[in-house]
Amino acid sequence: MPRASAGTGPTKPLQTAGSLETILDNCIFCKIASGAIPAKKVYEDDDLIAFHDINPAAPMHLLLVPRAHIATLADCDDSHQALLGKMLLLAPKLAQEQGGGYQNNADGPAGGFKTLFNTGPDGGQEVYHLHLHVMGGARPWRGQR
């Protein structure tokens, strides 16, 4: 059975198509992806949107969000492989563009960023729509997780 959630709280099984509409109507990331709520976007295409986190834990803190509503990483299956790969390959490109890139110079490595999927309540997930955090910039960060 597919799983989804209204944006916060534990994931609950969907019972009817009507309940899916309610979930999608109440999901903040679905609203951002549709343009109903503004965001400081840095990237968008048919599959993904990326924007600055409104409560950043690092000097550069982006969220990469699929346009399709997927509640958690645990809800992904083989059909999501290309989407997840796209998210992970896009992360270093956006980090570089936004000032948090990694370089391996003659003097050694410099810069860098952190990627993070929070999954479920014990994993620290607050919005139940799959999203990848990309954080970087000079340390210390507020969110040294």
Side-chain angles (χ1 to χ4, degrees):
M1 177 181 294
R3 296 170 65 83
S5 170
T8 59
T11 306
K12 297 181 181 172
L14 296 177
Q15 299 300 320
T16 66
S19 66
L20 177 59
E21 286 179 27
T22 300
I23 288 165
L24 299 180
D25 287 346
N26 290 321
C27 173
I28 190 163
F29 288 168
C30 286
K31 290 178 181 181
I32 290 170
S34 73
I37 294 177
K40 188 176 172 189
K41 297 178 201 171
V42 297
Y43 178 88
E44 63 182 319
D45 66 19
D46 291 342
D47 301 316
L48 299 169
I49 184 167
F51 51 91
H52 289 271
D53 193 305
I54 61 167
N55 188 23
M60 188 259 329
H61 188 164
L62 306 174
L63 300 175
L64 279 65
V65 178
R67 290 187 184 276
H69 186 92
I70 305 164
T72 74
L73 184 59
D75 293 307
C76 292
D77 58 30
D78 290 345
S79 70
H80 299 105
Q81 183 175 1
L83 176 67
L84 294 168
K86 185 175 187 175
M87 292 172 77
L88 290 173
L89 290 173
L90 184 59
K93 293 175 187 173
L94 294 179
Q96 183 69 37
E97 290 173 7
Q98 298 299 313
Y102 170 77
Q103 301 84 35
N104 196 0
N105 303 320
D107 296 332
F113 58 93
K114 177 180 186 174
T115 54
L116 175 69
F117 285 103
N118 294 317
T119 304
D122 288 344
Q125 188 170 6
E126 295 177 2
V127 177
Y128 280 76
H129 183 129
L130 179 69
H131 56 286
L132 175 63
H133 295 262
V134 181
M135 298 171 280
R139 287 187 171 262
W141 302 346
R142 176 181 60 82
Q144 293 203 358
R145 305 172 219 191

